[in-house]
Amino acid sequence: SQGEGPIARLGWLFGWVRLAILWERLWRNLWSTVAVVAVFVSIALFDLLPHLSYWVHWAVLIGFAILGAVRLRQVFKEDYAVTEKQIRNRIEKDSDLAHRPLTALKDSIVSARAGSRNEILSSESLWQAHQARAAEQLAHVKTPVPKPGLAARDLFGARFGILLLVVIAVFS
């Protein structure tokens, strides 16, 4: 197709955006597992477990193991496949590109068999102009950064409290 040239030149960007989307999906699921491990490490560093009775000590250990396994299961259960369409949409959205130029460059004209030769030529020249405008917009493409969206999932800021707990435990 005519539009493969400009898009092919953005191969590195497509690879970067694929990694960014993959990281966002992975981190959304992985952060809760990291939080469980961080709380457990903090409790261990504060040396709290030996002060508990034998059965409570084991209950806490088993509870953390189960909670960690459940959260880790979610990490492996998720589908992390990133489609080319998702990559194009992300680039177009983050770059504020109007009229989806990456999608337009992947499209092809439907051949107009019916109509006069002039109608066919004018529709082809219109299509070429459309493709050229779409290719020109690619000069304004921005490299998106990963946005895992943890703030929306962690309304109370627990991740910062957990980080603070780990820092205090390490230095105490």
Side-chain angles (χ1 to χ4, degrees):
S1 122
Q2 295 172 337
E4 288 178 7
I7 290 180
R9 288 191 293 267
L10 295 176
W12 66 271
L13 181 63
F14 273 59
W16 169 254
V17 173
R18 181 181 306 277
L19 285 175
I21 293 171
L22 179 65
W23 172 250
E24 291 168 356
R25 291 178 183 176
L26 179 65
W27 187 239
R28 275 187 215 128
N29 291 317
L30 193 60
W31 84 271
S32 59
T33 306
V34 171
V36 169
V37 171
V39 169
F40 176 77
V41 167
S42 297
I43 289 172
L45 287 173
F46 281 128
D47 204 25
L48 296 176
L49 293 178
H51 300 290
L52 301 174
S53 69
Y54 178 81
W55 294 109
V56 174
H57 183 127
W58 274 104
V60 169
L61 291 178
I62 291 170
F64 271 107
I66 290 171
L67 189 57
V70 167
R71 296 311 314 152
L72 198 56
R73 181 176 174 260
Q74 179 63 33
V75 172
F76 291 110
K77 192 172 115 175
E78 186 73 28
D79 179 22
Y80 296 104
V82 180
T83 65
E84 186 178 334
K85 181 180 180 186
Q86 291 168 329
I87 294 170
R88 285 194 318 261
N89 289 344
R90 176 67 179 270
I91 293 170
E92 291 167 344
K93 179 181 171 218
D94 286 2
S95 298
D96 294 324
L97 300 176
H99 309 295
R100 302 183 323 163
L102 291 171
T103 304
L105 288 170
K106 290 294 283 184
D107 288 343
S108 59
I109 189 170
V110 176
S111 61
R113 302 237 180 232
S116 69
R117 178 160 169 72
N118 286 340
E119 288 173 339
I120 293 172
L121 289 175
S122 66
S123 66
E124 285 178 359
S125 65
L126 182 62
W127 179 254
Q128 289 171 355
H130 170 64
Q131 293 275 293
R133 276 195 301 276
E136 287 171 11
Q137 279 193 321
L138 297 186
H140 307 289
V141 168
K142 297 175 187 167
T143 305
V145 295
K147 300 173 201 154
L150 287 184
R153 293 177 149 216
D154 184 15
L155 298 177
F156 300 109
R159 63 192 187 280
F160 297 110
I162 293 170
L163 177 64
L164 182 62
L165 184 67
V166 171
V167 169
I168 292 169
V170 166
F171 291 107
S172 67

